[in-house]
Amino acid sequence: MARSLMIQGTASDSGKSILVAGLARLLNQDGLRVVPFKSQNMALNSYITSVGDEMGRAQVVQAEAAGLEPDVRMNPVLLKPSSDHQSQVIFMGKVLANMDARTYHDYKLELLPKIKEVYSQLEEEFDVVLIEGAGSPAEINLNQRDIVNMGMAKLADAPVLLVADIDKGGVFAAIYGTLALLSDEERERVKGVIINKFRGDLALLQPGIEQIEALTQVPVVGVIPYLDMTIDSEDSLALLGKNRKRDDSKDLDIAVLALKRMSNFTDFQILEQEPDVSLRYVMPGDEIGTPDLLILPGSKNTLEDMLLLEKTGRAEEIIQAYANGSSIFGICGGYQLLGETISDPLAMESTLQKVNGLGLLAVDTVMQDEKRTCQVFARQGDYELRGYEIHLGESYRKPATAAFASIIDESESQSVRWDGAVSLDGRVQGTYLHGIFDNSKWLRSYLNTIRVQKGLEELEVPHLDWAEKKEEEYDKLASALRIHLDMDRIYKIMGLEKRG
C-alpha cells in the first residue's frame, strides 16, 4: 500500500503543481515508484493521452517528472469552463455533461466513490501518491462537499503540506488565515508549511518564520526561492505573468491573442526557446499592432469569443494586421475563428446558432455532438508532425483551399484525412493540431519562411529536443527542492525512511 503526501495551497497559483512535479522527480530519483494525483482539476489547458483520454496538463507534467506515461487516473475529474456559470465535466477522460456551478456542486459527491476507487488502484501500484489540491482548503463556502482539498486528504488519510506564495505579498496572513479557517481535524492534517517564490535575504524572513511557527504550531519545512523554470503552468493566473511587450533585440515579433476562453496556452511555451523570437501576449487593452506572426489560440467557446472580438474591435485589428503584412496562425478554436462561419446547431458550446468568422480562410465550421480526442501523426511536405486533437467542431474547406497537413491513421488501414487550411498567399494557416510548435524542425522551417517574408536571411539553429529540455528542467527543479526543503522531515511526514 502506497504512502501519500498532499500538497495544498493558500491560494491558486501558489506553486502546488510545480512542487508536486519537483517532488515527483526527486522521489523518483530516490528509487521510489511515485504517481501524481489530482481528483478534480479546473483548467482549459488539457492533454490527450495515447488512448484518447482527456486530462489536465499539470498532471501530464507531473507524470513526465515521475518518469510515467500520462494516465487519466491521475486526474479523474476535469472541469473546462465554457462560460462564467457553466463547465464541461469530463470524467475519466470522457465528456460526462455540461453543468452549471450549482448543479455540479450538488452532483460531485456522487463522484466520490468513483474517485476513491481510482485512487485505491494507484495506491496498489505505487510506493507514493503525491496528491495536489485545488485553490485553497479555506474556501469554507465549498468545504461541505469538497472532493479535492481536505475532503480528498481525508479520503486518502494523507498528511498535508501547505504552500504559500510570498511573491504575492501577505504570506504570513495567508498561512495564519488558512489554518485558522480549518476545523481541528483538518488542521491536524497539516504537518508543514512551504513558503514559495521567495526573493531576498532569508535572514530578514527568519523572524517571521519563527513567529508563524509559534502562532500556528506548524513548522515551516522549506523556503523555496523564485525559480525561473521552463515548465508548463496550466493555471490561468500564470497568464498574468506572461510577457506583454516586444523585445526589440529579437528579429521576430510573435504575438498571441489572449482570448477570453483561451485554452491550451501551453502550446506556445516552446516559442520562448527560439533565439530569434520575441513572444508576447496581447491582453485586454493591449494593441495587436503588426507582429510578424499573430497566433490565435484554442478557445472553449469559439462562438462567444468571436462575438467578443467583434464587440471589442479586435476582429478589425486582426484583419488590419493581416492587411499590413502580418502572418496569422490559428490552432483549434483559433483556426475556427479564421474561417467564414461557425455554427452550433446543437448548442454544444453556446446558445448562439451561427456567427460569422474573420473570413481569412475559406472554411466553415459546424459543432458536433461528440468531441474528437486523439493523438495524431501528420505530414506536411517533408515534415512528419506529432500532435493531438481536442475539438467539437468539424471544419470544411471550400474548393481550391489547400489543407494544412494530412493526418495518417496509424491503425492497419493507414487511411488519410486532411487537417486545417492555408490561404492562397500562404500567410494565414490554421490547424487542429495542439502541440504543433513542439515539432522543432518544422517550426524552424516555418519561422524561416516568416524571416524571408520580412527580408531576413534564414537562420540555422541547433535542433532543440524539447523532451530532453524538459528532462533537464525537472532535474533542475528536483535539485532546488533538495537544497531548500527539509527532506528528512518530509520523509518522516510520509512515514518513510530517507533515501538518496
Side-chain angles (χ1 to χ4, degrees), residues 285-358:
D286 296 343
E287 291 186 4
I288 293 175
T290 309
D292 300 305
L293 174 62
L294 174 63
I295 298 174
L296 303 190
S299 168
K300 187 61 189 70
N301 194 325
T302 316
L303 287 87
E304 297 285 356
D305 269 340
M306 185 62 231
L307 281 191
L308 192 59
L309 292 180
E310 291 283 1
K311 182 179 179 180
T312 59
R314 285 294 197 206
E316 186 177 343
E317 282 188 80
I318 294 167
I319 293 169
Q320 189 60 52
Y322 170 68
N324 291 341
S326 294
S327 293
I328 301 181
F329 197 97
I331 298 178
C332 199
Y335 164 41
Q336 296 170 354
L337 291 170
L338 290 171
E340 295 179 354
T341 64
I342 310 162
S343 303
D344 191 3
L346 302 176
M348 297 302 296
E349 284 192 353
S350 170
T351 56
L352 300 168
Q353 287 284 304
K354 185 176 183 179
V355 300
N356 290 325
L358 293 164

Side-chain angles (χ1 to χ4, degrees), residues 245-436:
K245 295 183 179 179
R246 177 178 180 177
D247 179 353
D248 290 329
S249 69
K250 302 293 182 72
D251 290 337
L252 298 182
D253 173 25
I254 298 183
V256 178
L257 181 61
L259 302 170
K260 182 175 182 180
R261 299 296 173 192
M262 178 166 60
S263 63
N264 285 61
F265 60 80
T266 51
D267 279 338
F268 315 118
Q269 185 161 346
I270 194 169
L271 292 170
E272 298 172 4
Q273 306 302 310
E274 295 296 325
D276 55 340
V277 168
S278 169
L279 183 68
R280 60 185 172 95
Y281 285 76
V282 182
M283 303 295 188
D286 296 343
E287 291 186 4
I288 293 175
T290 309
D292 300 305
L293 174 62
L294 174 63
I295 298 174
L296 303 190
S299 168
K300 187 61 189 70
N301 194 325
T302 316
L303 287 87
E304 297 285 356
D305 269 340
M306 185 62 231
L307 281 191
L308 192 59
L309 292 180
E310 291 283 1
K311 182 179 179 180
T312 59
R314 285 294 197 206
E316 186 177 343
E317 282 188 80
I318 294 167
I319 293 169
Q320 189 60 52
Y322 170 68
N324 291 341
S326 294
S327 293
I328 301 181
F329 197 97
I331 298 178
C332 199
Y335 164 41
Q336 296 170 354
L337 291 170
L338 290 171
E340 295 179 354
T341 64
I342 310 162
S343 303
D344 191 3
L346 302 176
M348 297 302 296
E349 284 192 353
S350 170
T351 56
L352 300 168
Q353 287 284 304
K354 185 176 183 179
V355 300
N356 290 325
L358 293 164
L360 295 175
L361 288 174
V363 167
D364 293 315
T365 296
V366 181
M367 299 299 170
Q368 310 294 316
D369 60 356
E370 188 171 337
K371 184 187 289 191
R372 185 190 292 275
T373 57
C374 56
Q375 292 188 4
V376 298
F377 169 73
R379 184 179 295 278
Q380 186 193 83
D382 295 330
Y383 294 99
E384 295 181 348
L385 308 173
R386 286 282 182 180
Y388 55 98
E389 294 182 73
I390 320 171
H391 57 96
L392 279 172
E394 291 294 335
S395 298
Y396 305 95
R397 289 176 290 112
K398 301 289 181 67
T401 300
F404 174 79
S406 60
I407 292 177
I408 301 167
D409 180 359
E410 294 185 84
S411 67
E412 293 182 4
S413 64
Q414 294 290 298
S415 59
V416 174
R417 58 185 171 90
W418 297 100
D419 165 72
V422 180
S423 63
L424 290 175
D425 64 3
R427 288 198 295 117
V428 182
Q429 302 188 40
T431 177
Y432 276 117
L433 299 185
H434 289 288
I436 179 64

Side-chain angles (χ1 to χ4, degrees), residues 96 99 102-111 114:
L96 184 65
M99 296 186 188
R102 180 170 294 184
T103 300
Y104 179 70
H105 185 62
D106 293 338
Y107 174 79
K108 63 184 178 181
L109 287 185
E110 295 183 29
L111 294 172
K114 300 175 183 177

Side-chain angles (χ1 to χ4, degrees), residues 23 39 51 77 85 153 161-162 171 182 208 227 280 299 423 434 449:
L23 284 169
S39 56
V51 294
V77 181
H85 306 288
L161 297 181
L162 183 67
V171 69
L182 299 180
L227 301 173
R280 60 185 172 95
S299 168
S423 63
H434 289 288
T449 299

Side-chain angles (χ1 to χ4, degrees), residues 10 18 20 71 125 137 139 146 164 192 212 228 236 262 290 301 305 324 327 350 353 371 377 390 464 498:
T10 57
I18 296 297
V20 169
D71 182 332
E125 296 174 27
E139 292 166 353
D146 173 60
I212 200 67
D228 186 14
S236 61
M262 178 166 60
T290 309
N301 194 325
D305 269 340
N324 291 341
S327 293
S350 170
Q353 287 284 304
K371 184 187 289 191
F377 169 73
I390 320 171
L464 173 64
K498 176 74 183 297

Side-chain angles (χ1 to χ4, degrees), residues 25 85 172 194 279 372 454:
R25 175 51 60 97
H85 306 288
F172 296 117
I194 298 172
L279 183 68
R372 185 190 292 275
K454 193 177 179 180

